[in-house]
Amino acid sequence: MLVAASVLLKGLAIPLLARIAWLDFTTQKISNQNVLLLLCLGLGSLQLLSVLSGSWWDMGLSALAGLLLFVALFPFWAMRKIGAGDVKLMAVVPLLIGGSGLLVFSALLLGFALATALIVKNSFMLPAGAFRLYVQHLDRKGVVPFGVPISLAAICTIAFQVYSNLTVLGGLSV
């Protein structure tokens, strides 16, 4: 029952992450309300899993990872290399996915961030149309919406975790 509740909380985070990605792409803003809601969903999910397992290791590891990411990225915000919303989102994501998902998230984030930077810097590779014009506009402004790859990596990590939990619980036949 607790695992199902944890899966539900993580599942609720997926549309919120998609909203964050869209808003960051279109407005280059990540609202504090959305990040706070993600934090609540993540902490609730982690707390349920910690009670179920009888160990607070995963929650502690997630909190430490979030703190380290915030401290590591804060100077880049101060130098105006990354947005404040991106820093806050990166600090909250470890609490959303848990310590066990950090490796998967990191690998996915690397791939999605490289793809996003490549697309923004080489928009001529995109098919002609409004999307390409908008991406070219982002490049001229010198903006890369990093909330998009962060959100995509988190969504994929959560989907992988939910699928893994369902197969372990016998909810799906493989």
Side-chain angles (χ1 to χ4, degrees):
M1 183 67 178
L2 291 177
V3 172
S6 174
V7 167
L8 176 64
L9 288 174
K10 285 188 179 194
L12 290 172
I14 291 174
L16 182 58
L17 285 163
R19 175 182 164 76
I20 288 170
W22 177 253
L23 289 174
D24 190 37
F25 180 72
T26 57
T27 66
Q28 291 77 56
K29 300 235 183 281
I30 298 174
S31 78
N32 290 339
Q33 293 170 327
N34 289 337
V35 174
L36 186 59
L37 189 52
L38 275 181
L39 176 65
C40 292
L41 290 171
L43 285 175
S45 174
L46 276 176
Q47 187 171 12
L48 288 172
L49 291 176
S50 295
V51 167
L52 180 67
S53 68
S55 169
W56 296 90
W57 170 251
D58 202 37
M59 185 175 261
L61 180 61
S62 300
L64 181 62
L67 179 64
L68 287 174
L69 283 168
F70 184 81
V71 169
L73 293 174
F74 189 80
F76 292 98
W77 169 77
M79 295 184 296
R80 303 285 184 228
K81 300 295 181 189
I82 189 170
D86 298 326
V87 174
K88 291 179 278 190
L89 182 61
M90 277 296 294
V92 166
V93 167
L95 293 165
L96 181 65
I97 61 173
S100 61
L102 289 175
L103 188 60
V104 172
F105 172 76
S106 299
L108 288 169
L109 179 60
L110 178 63
F112 287 136
L114 289 174
T116 300
L118 182 70
I119 288 170
V120 169
K121 293 299 179 188
N122 298 303
S123 56
F124 61 87
M125 294 172 31
L126 296 171
F131 182 73
R132 180 164 108 183
L133 290 174
Y134 184 71
V135 171
Q136 288 172 335
H137 169 72
L138 290 176
D139 186 32
R140 280 192 300 276
K141 284 176 50 178
V143 175
V144 178
F146 283 116
V148 175
I150 295 167
S151 296
L152 286 175
I155 289 170
C156 292
T157 303
I158 290 169
F160 175 74
Q161 290 173 330
V162 168
Y163 177 77
S164 297
N165 283 338
L166 290 176
T167 55
V168 167
L169 292 174
L172 294 175
S173 58
V174 240

